[in-house]
Amino acid sequence: MKNIAALWIMIILIQPTGVEGQNTYDRAQFQQLIQNQEYGRAIQILKTTPPTGFNKEYYLNLGYAYFMNDEEKNALPVYQAVHQHDPSDAPSNLYLAIIYQRMKKYTDALGFYKNLTQLQPDQYKYWFYTASMYSALDERDSAFTYTEKAYSLNPRAANVVLRYASGLAYKKEQKRAIAVIDSFLMADSSNEEIVARKISYSARENKHKEVIFWGERLLKDSAIQPSAYISLAYAYLNTQKIDQCLVLCDWLELQGMKSEPTTYCAALCYAQKGDFVKSNLLLDECLKQNLLEEAKTYFRSKADNYEKTKEYKKAIAQYDSSYYIFQNPYDLYYKARVYDVNLNNKTQASVFYKKFLAEKQKPETPLEEKLFNYIKEYIKP
C-alpha cells in the first residue's frame, strides 16, 4: 500500500498546492532526499525550516517523510492537521486510513476510506479497501456491497475477483462465484491464485478432469499452491491415475509441500497397488502428525488394509485403538463385523454388536436403520 501512497507525494512534489503560509525550505533538496530515500534527513530539513502559517504542501511532505521513515505515530497528527484544514484532501485521507488500519483501528480507517470512495468514486481500490475494513469489523453485508462495487469498476483485478467470489460463495451463490472466476480466466489464465480457486471449486463438485487440467498448469510452472496440489492428488486418485498421484506426492515432499492429506492420499494409492506394508507406514506417519478427529480415518484405513491381507487380529487392534481414543461407537461395529464376516465368531461378534447398539441407541438415517435391523436379527438367540 506504500506504493499507492507514494503516487500522491509525486503529485504533491511536482505540483505546488495553494497555501496560506510560505515555504522556507529548499524544495529541490527535499525532492532529492526523498528520491534517495534519505527520509530522516528530509524530516530534519522540514523541522528546522517550518513555514510561516499553515502550509498544506509542507505538512503533506512532512507527513510523507515520517510515514516512509516508519514513524507513523509522528505522521498521524501531521495528516490530522491537513484533514482538519481540508477534509476533501485525498492524500491526507489515504494516509490516515492506512495508518489507522495498521494500528488496527478499523472503524477510524473505515471512515477515511469511505471518504475516498466519495472523492474519487471511479477508483476501484478505495471501494476494495473500504470492503476490507468492513470485513475486519465482521460486517459481511457491507463488505460484500463494497466489494461488488469494486468488481463492477475493475473485474480484472485478481484480489477483487477472489474476494467477490468468496462473498458470493458465502451467500450460497456458488454458480455465480464460479462464473466470476471463469470470466477472469477467459481473459487471463496466468494468475496462480485464481487458478487455485478454480481448482477448489471444481474439486468441491468432483469435476476431476477440470482439477487435473488446471492443476497440471500450476504444476508445470512449479507454483507454490499446496491446497491446489492436494486437490490434484485426489483427482488423480479418483480417476485411477495412481502412478501420477504418487509422482506428485513425491514431488511435493521434495518441494517442502508435503502434508497430512497428501501422505494419506499416497497411502491410499499404495493400498490400491496392493502394497499394504507401504500404505500402513504412510498411515502411521499420518497418525504421528495428527491424533485428532481425522485420525479415525487412518486407523480404519489401516484396519481395512489388514483385512485385505487377512491379518484380522491386527485389523481388530486398529479398531480398538481408534475406539480407545475417540469413543466412536462405529469402531465397535467395525470390530464386530470382522468377527462376524471374516472370523465367523458369532459369540465375539454379538458382544460388540450389542455394545454398538447400546452406545448408538437409535438409528439416525435409513442406512443405520437397516444396520440396526441386521444386528438385531443376528444377535437373536
Side-chain angles (χ1 to χ4, degrees), residues 5 14 58 128 179 215 306 331 379:
I14 294 170
Y58 170 88
F128 183 69
Y306 284 129
D331 289 311
I379 62 179

Side-chain angles (χ1 to χ4, degrees), residues 293-320:
E293 184 69 14
E294 291 83 356
K296 289 201 301 284
T297 303
Y298 309 139
F299 280 120
R300 291 171 183 171
S301 292
K302 284 191 72 177
D304 189 50
N305 285 346
Y306 284 129
E307 286 187 51
K308 288 175 181 176
T309 56
K310 299 183 179 181
E311 297 177 84
Y312 301 121
K313 289 185 179 179
K314 289 183 179 180
I316 289 169
Q318 297 304 310
Y319 294 130
D320 281 340

Side-chain angles (χ1 to χ4, degrees), residues 109-369:
L110 174 64
F112 292 108
Y113 281 132
K114 288 182 73 173
N115 289 346
L116 288 164
T117 64
Q118 301 304 309
L119 293 170
Q120 298 188 357
D122 294 335
Q123 292 292 321
Y124 82 93
K125 289 185 178 180
Y126 298 142
W127 295 90
F128 183 69
Y129 297 151
T130 303
S132 298
M133 294 305 95
Y134 274 123
S135 181
L137 294 167
D138 202 28
E139 296 186 34
R140 290 181 178 272
D141 289 341
S142 296
F144 180 79
T145 298
Y146 277 81
T147 301
E148 191 167 43
K149 177 63 175 179
Y151 179 76
S152 70
L153 291 170
N154 189 356
R156 299 276 74 84
N159 54 353
V160 175
V161 169
L162 288 167
R163 182 171 292 172
Y164 185 45
S166 295
L168 289 168
Y170 180 78
K171 289 177 172 289
K172 310 298 183 186
E173 297 185 50
Q174 190 71 17
K175 287 185 179 180
R176 287 184 63 195
I178 293 170
V180 166
I181 295 297
D182 287 345
S183 175
F184 185 96
L185 288 172
M186 287 178 67
D188 179 7
S189 61
S190 65
N191 187 285
E192 294 175 2
E193 290 186 77
I194 298 289
V195 172
R197 182 66 64 86
K198 172 63 177 177
I199 291 169
S200 174
Y201 289 160
S202 298
R204 291 177 193 176
E205 297 188 337
N206 294 319
K207 294 181 177 179
H208 305 309
K209 289 184 179 180
E210 284 188 5
V211 172
I212 291 171
F213 174 81
W214 292 105
E216 288 183 345
R217 293 191 64 158
L218 291 180
L219 191 59
K220 182 180 178 181
D221 295 333
S222 299
I224 309 300
Q225 294 291 337
S227 62
Y229 292 133
I230 292 171
S231 296
L232 176 59
Y234 281 93
Y236 280 145
L237 175 65
N238 289 320
T239 54
Q240 300 302 308
K241 296 183 178 182
I242 304 303
D243 290 333
Q244 285 174 264
C245 184
L246 289 173
V247 169
L248 173 61
C249 291
D250 288 341
W251 179 81
L252 289 172
E253 183 172 5
L254 290 172
Q255 300 301 314
M257 287 188 279
K258 179 181 178 180
S259 64
E260 185 182 335
T262 57
T263 303
Y264 178 54
C265 189
L268 296 178
C269 286
Y270 280 110
Q272 287 204 23
K273 289 170 73 74
D275 190 344
F276 299 110
V277 173
K278 179 65 174 177
S279 178
N280 284 341
L281 287 173
L282 292 171
L283 291 168
D284 283 336
E285 280 189 38
C286 293
L287 289 168
K288 289 176 184 177
Q289 292 176 46
N290 185 5
L291 277 176
L292 299 176
E293 184 69 14
E294 291 83 356
K296 289 201 301 284
T297 303
Y298 309 139
F299 280 120
R300 291 171 183 171
S301 292
K302 284 191 72 177
D304 189 50
N305 285 346
Y306 284 129
E307 286 187 51
K308 288 175 181 176
T309 56
K310 299 183 179 181
E311 297 177 84
Y312 301 121
K313 289 185 179 179
K314 289 183 179 180
I316 289 169
Q318 297 304 310
Y319 294 130
D320 281 340
S321 296
S322 181
Y323 180 73
Y324 177 77
I325 296 172
F326 303 107
Q327 298 293 301
N328 188 300
Y330 266 98
D331 289 311
L332 296 171
Y333 163 74
Y334 294 134
K335 183 177 177 179
R337 183 180 53 77
V338 174
Y339 281 117
D340 175 6
V341 177
N342 300 120
L343 296 176
N344 197 26
N345 187 332
K346 185 169 184 177
T347 302
Q348 286 291 86
S350 297
V351 168
F352 292 104
Y353 276 146
K354 287 177 181 178
K355 287 185 177 181
F356 168 74
L357 293 179
E359 290 203 18
K360 189 64 179 171
Q361 295 185 353
K362 63 180 180 179
E364 298 176 2
T365 66
L367 184 61
E368 285 188 348
E369 190 170 348

